[in-house]
């Protein structure tokens, strides 16, 4: 029989060392979690804007054009699923953000 290769033995030792390091890391992981404070509760954000709020925002962001709403989306009361005007504006704002990010990704 041929003698065992020293490289095979070194590879086995290296694998055993890697497994031992992983075992130690996994054993220490729960102890590290003890030093982390509790997460703060998420603040509830409610976007309730009226047409006058949008007009002021548009004038501040682009004074040349100002507020431009040719379809009167911001002024139509109860125009979407029985929502009031502020809820409709919030609906369109959320949808615009979501689909705008999707359009930029594609």
């Amino acid at each position: 029989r041929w003698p065992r290769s020293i490289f095979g033995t070194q590879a086995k030792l290296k694998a055993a060392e890697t497994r031992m390091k992983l075992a130690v890391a996994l054993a220490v992981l729960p102890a590290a979690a003890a030093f982390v404070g509790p997460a703060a509760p998420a603040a509830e954000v409610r976007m309730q804007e009226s047409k006058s709020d949008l007009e002021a925002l548009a004038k501040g962001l682009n004074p040349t054009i100002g507020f431009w709403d040719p379809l009167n989306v911001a002024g139509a009361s109860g125009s979407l699923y029985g929502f009031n005007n502020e809820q409709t504006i919030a609906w369109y704002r959320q949808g615009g953000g979501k689909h705008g990010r999707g359009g930029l990704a594609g």
Side-chain angles (χ1 to χ4, degrees):
R1 299 187 81 161
W2 293 94
R4 290 189 172 185
S5 170
I6 191 167
F7 298 112
T9 305
Q10 285 180 347
K12 288 180 184 179
L13 288 175
K14 187 71 169 173
E17 182 182 348
T18 303
R19 283 193 303 270
M20 184 60 74
K21 286 180 181 179
L22 178 63
V24 169
L26 291 175
V28 174
L29 189 63
F35 297 105
V36 177
E44 184 177 337
V45 177
R46 304 193 103 203
M47 300 286 292
Q48 297 292 327
E49 294 181 337
S50 64
K51 185 175 180 179
S52 61
D53 294 333
L54 291 178
E55 290 171 354
L57 180 65
K59 194 65 174 169
L61 292 175
N62 190 352
T64 304
I65 297 175
F67 183 73
W68 187 68
D69 185 15
L71 299 177
N72 196 24
V73 173
S77 60
S79 63
L80 186 66
Y81 305 119
F83 291 162
N84 63 21
N85 194 20
E86 286 79 16
Q87 291 169 334
T88 302
I89 291 171
W91 174 274
Y92 285 127
R93 177 184 288 273
Q94 185 270 340
K98 178 175 74 172
H99 294 293
R101 284 189 295 272
L104 289 172

